[in-house]
Amino acid sequence: MAIGQTQLIKPVLMVLTSYRGIVNGHEISGFYLPELTHPLHVLNQAGVPVAFASIKGGKPPVYGIGDDEINQRYWQDGNFQQQLNHTLPLAAAKSDDYSAVLFVGGHGTMWDFPDDAAVKKLIRDMFECNKPIAAVCHGPAALVNVKLSNGEYLVKGKRVAAFTDTEEMEVGLAGAVPFMLESTLKARGARHQAAENWQCNVVTDGVLITGQNPQSASEIGKALCQQLLAG
């Protein structure tokens, strides 16, 4: 990728949940670190600029730090920690400032993404300007209540991937989350396309790029890069 090519690309806004309530099975909820670091690694390698935002701004709650090599590389990096500790409140983000948006997953997203006014406005504005909207695992919770200017749900008739109901059951949190993501997307008219549990699955429908689970995080980054470079 030519350096000049990436210099023309505005940052990708990576959006994180601010919900930290304790969810059964987790010490805290929040966002799932590999679903930030893995696409971030792809974007960094490609020279695509990024910015971090969260629903409330500041330092968002996180889990899944683990021993993953990419996780640890970022977690021990001072610049990354500085960015993470000072995320922009999403309400202050302007769609004109970004080339694309990526909604990072984690169980916390199920509580604060769906009904947040800034989430819905940013997605609608960017989608209607033909800018890529990406989301991975539980990140597509950001999409469930978004309506376009014509009053239709954005996901109606769209092919999408997201954390499946059977995956939610397998991790034992089907009774803890406020709704089942796959079922809700289908109820909004989405054409949900599932792979086997824990298999990488990224679905692209126009500018909408969605991934099923943590195993899909790197491929989300690659699909996003492809769209940005094609544009």
Side-chain angles (χ1 to χ4, degrees), residues 201-215:
N201 178 31
V202 172
V203 173
T204 299
D205 190 335
V207 295
L208 191 60
I209 307 167
T210 47
Q212 178 171 324
N213 45 34
Q215 289 75 16

Side-chain angles (χ1 to χ4, degrees), residues 121-176:
K121 183 180 189 304
L122 181 69
I123 292 175
R124 182 180 66 249
D125 290 351
M126 296 191 78
F127 185 83
E128 292 182 346
C129 288
N130 210 37
K131 293 182 178 182
I133 310 290
V136 62
C137 197
H138 287 89
L143 302 171
V144 298
N145 291 327
V146 177
K147 290 186 177 180
L148 300 176
S149 296
N150 62 8
E152 298 277 8
Y153 283 110
L154 182 151
V155 297
K156 183 180 179 181
K158 303 289 195 308
R159 294 180 294 108
V160 301
F163 202 64
T164 65
D165 291 357
T166 56
E167 285 170 323
E168 201 70 83
M169 293 172 192
E170 192 171 322
V171 298
L173 293 175

Side-chain angles (χ1 to χ4, degrees), residues 15-38:
V15 181
L16 308 167
T17 177
S18 294
Y19 182 84
R20 63 179 64 248
I22 294 174
V23 176
N24 182 36
H26 298 319
E27 222 175 285
I28 61 170
S29 57
F31 76 92
Y32 189 60
L33 186 62
E35 291 166 18
L36 172 64
T37 60
H38 285 239

Side-chain angles (χ1 to χ4, degrees), residues 68-189:
D68 176 284
E69 181 185 347
I70 291 175
N71 264 0
Q72 287 303 311
R73 189 183 314 166
Y74 281 99
W75 194 249
Q76 295 169 19
D77 181 86
N79 289 332
F80 174 80
Q81 289 290 347
Q82 179 75 5
Q83 283 184 288
L84 195 59
N85 290 339
H86 299 90
T87 65
L88 180 73
L90 190 63
K94 298 178 181 178
S95 61
D96 289 346
D97 294 337
Y98 305 101
S99 64
V101 62
L102 169 58
F103 289 90
V104 174
H107 273 94
T109 65
M110 298 288 281
W111 278 264
D112 63 359
F113 275 11
D115 294 315
D116 186 79
V119 166
K120 291 186 281 190
K121 183 180 189 304
L122 181 69
I123 292 175
R124 182 180 66 249
D125 290 351
M126 296 191 78
F127 185 83
E128 292 182 346
C129 288
N130 210 37
K131 293 182 178 182
I133 310 290
V136 62
C137 197
H138 287 89
L143 302 171
V144 298
N145 291 327
V146 177
K147 290 186 177 180
L148 300 176
S149 296
N150 62 8
E152 298 277 8
Y153 283 110
L154 182 151
V155 297
K156 183 180 179 181
K158 303 289 195 308
R159 294 180 294 108
V160 301
F163 202 64
T164 65
D165 291 357
T166 56
E167 285 170 323
E168 201 70 83
M169 293 172 192
E170 192 171 322
V171 298
L173 293 175
V177 291
F179 61 93
M180 296 294 274
L181 183 53
E182 175 188 350
S183 294
T184 303
L185 287 166
K186 288 178 177 177
R188 300 290 192 257

